[in-house]
Amino acid sequence: MKFKHLFLRGCAAAFLLAGTAHLAAADELADIKKAGKIRVAIAMGTPLFSYVDENLKPTGSDVDTAALLAKDLGVKLEIVQVTNAARVPTLQARRADLVIADLSITPERAKVVDFSVPYAVISLIVGAPKDIRIKDYADLSGKTIGLTRATVNDSITTEKAKGADIKRYEDDATLITSMVTGQIDIFSSTPSNLAEMQKRAPQRNLEMKFEQKDFDLGIALQKDQPALKNWVDNWVRENLKNGRLNAIYKKYHGRDLPARITQVQS
């Protein structure tokens, strides 16, 4: 009986210790402030959102957004460079505290990570040279189309372009290079990537063929982090209200954020 009593007491103590450790590790906002830095995963190589400038310095709307967030939180920004496919896995592996990487808010992703309220938007398009006739998904049947793996472009094109041969690339930079060098003729990506392709290969006469969909972008974080999510949500709302997030977006993308983003949350 004595052994049984000691065993039960030991189990109870272990359970309490485990619960305490879980609670201690649960407040990531406190941990970030204590560390004095925030690790933000950013998918570099995405024109206008996140890329390296001529001085080899990270820049773009997502980079500026991350820098502003870190400044307002009062901590140092540490950029964790990732590919598009590694955005959510990097967060899940706890190698980053947040993801600010043109990450569209989708039901599938929301099952494994939490999102802030939308801070920006991204448009998806299909593009190709002017002499290729494409008006909709049906025209992609039997054709090869390039896109970036593990993006909403991937999921929506896979779903709707049933007869297409889809060639998947690990990041936007590789996709752009493949279009610029003529390895592929059709792509699904963003207007900003089309602009980069047109800049680098004007002789290809690339143009948008049709718009696929607009998606709201969210800042991703670990699930069950109420303090951090509340802070990030309030930060996004405040900086939409004061116009700073719109100014960042317009600086790089040349247009204002849509009213559904700036007004609904203000």
Side-chain angles (χ1 to χ4, degrees), residues 171-190:
D171 54 42
D172 285 355
T174 310
L175 170 66
I176 291 169
T177 298
S178 294
M179 279 296 301
V180 167
T181 57
Q183 296 176 51
I184 55 173
D185 293 321
I186 307 168
F187 71 91
S188 167
S189 193
T190 64

Side-chain angles (χ1 to χ4, degrees), residues 136-183:
D136 53 30
Y137 289 105
D139 291 331
L140 295 174
S141 182
K143 296 181 175 67
T144 298
I145 180 169
L147 49 77
T148 304
R149 185 188 306 278
T151 59
V152 286
N153 307 73
D154 191 347
S155 57
I156 196 171
T157 304
T158 299
E159 176 189 352
K160 296 190 175 184
K162 297 296 186 182
D165 176 21
I166 299 176
K167 187 172 179 60
R168 294 174 173 84
Y169 295 90
E170 293 304 317
D171 54 42
D172 285 355
T174 310
L175 170 66
I176 291 169
T177 298
S178 294
M179 279 296 301
V180 167
T181 57
Q183 296 176 51

Side-chain angles (χ1 to χ4, degrees), residues 205-254:
N205 293 315
L206 300 174
E207 65 178 11
M208 183 184 80
K209 296 300 182 179
F210 66 91
E211 188 170 6
Q212 294 178 275
K213 193 173 182 180
D214 275 348
F215 280 91
D216 293 347
L217 303 180
I219 298 173
L221 63 153
Q222 293 282 350
K223 281 191 169 295
D224 302 319
Q225 292 295 326
L228 181 58
K229 177 168 171 48
N230 184 62
W231 189 92
V232 174
D233 280 344
N234 287 336
W235 180 84
V236 172
R237 292 189 183 100
E238 178 61 28
N239 284 281
L240 286 172
K241 185 176 181 179
N242 63 30
R244 290 199 289 179
L245 282 174
N246 186 70
I248 288 173
Y249 191 81
K250 190 171 184 178
K251 172 184 175 182
Y252 292 96
H253 300 271

Side-chain angles (χ1 to χ4, degrees), residues 37-218:
K37 69 176 182 180
I38 187 164
R39 301 168 301 162
V40 179
I42 300 179
M44 301 303 296
T46 304
L48 307 188
F49 284 98
S50 47
Y51 57 98
V52 177
D53 65 15
E54 62 275 8
N55 298 316
L56 303 181
K57 181 181 177 182
T59 191
S61 59
D62 277 344
V63 175
D64 282 11
T65 297
L68 180 61
L69 184 148
K71 179 182 177 182
D72 288 348
L73 187 55
V75 297
K76 179 182 177 182
L77 171 64
E78 178 181 318
I79 294 177
V80 181
Q81 295 191 24
V82 297
T83 62
N84 288 82
R87 290 174 295 182
V88 171
T90 297
L91 183 64
Q92 291 177 305
R94 298 187 180 278
R95 292 194 294 270
D97 304 306
L98 299 175
V99 177
I100 304 178
D102 57 289
L103 192 63
S104 300
I105 301 172
T106 66
E108 294 77 16
R109 288 171 177 162
K111 293 176 183 177
V112 294
V113 299
D114 275 342
F115 283 101
S116 70
V117 295
Y119 73 97
V121 296
I122 191 168
S123 299
L124 307 185
I125 64 169
V126 167
K130 289 183 179 180
D131 58 359
I132 296 180
R133 180 187 175 279
I134 299 172
K135 291 185 177 180
D136 53 30
Y137 289 105
D139 291 331
L140 295 174
S141 182
K143 296 181 175 67
T144 298
I145 180 169
L147 49 77
T148 304
R149 185 188 306 278
T151 59
V152 286
N153 307 73
D154 191 347
S155 57
I156 196 171
T157 304
T158 299
E159 176 189 352
K160 296 190 175 184
K162 297 296 186 182
D165 176 21
I166 299 176
K167 187 172 179 60
R168 294 174 173 84
Y169 295 90
E170 293 304 317
D171 54 42
D172 285 355
T174 310
L175 170 66
I176 291 169
T177 298
S178 294
M179 279 296 301
V180 167
T181 57
Q183 296 176 51
I184 55 173
D185 293 321
I186 307 168
F187 71 91
S188 167
S189 193
T190 64
S192 57
N193 283 345
L194 170 59
E196 181 66 15
M197 295 171 190
Q198 292 169 327
K199 176 183 176 182
R200 290 171 55 180
Q203 74 283 358
R204 296 220 65 196
N205 293 315
L206 300 174
E207 65 178 11
M208 183 184 80
K209 296 300 182 179
F210 66 91
E211 188 170 6
Q212 294 178 275
K213 193 173 182 180
D214 275 348
F215 280 91
D216 293 347
L217 303 180

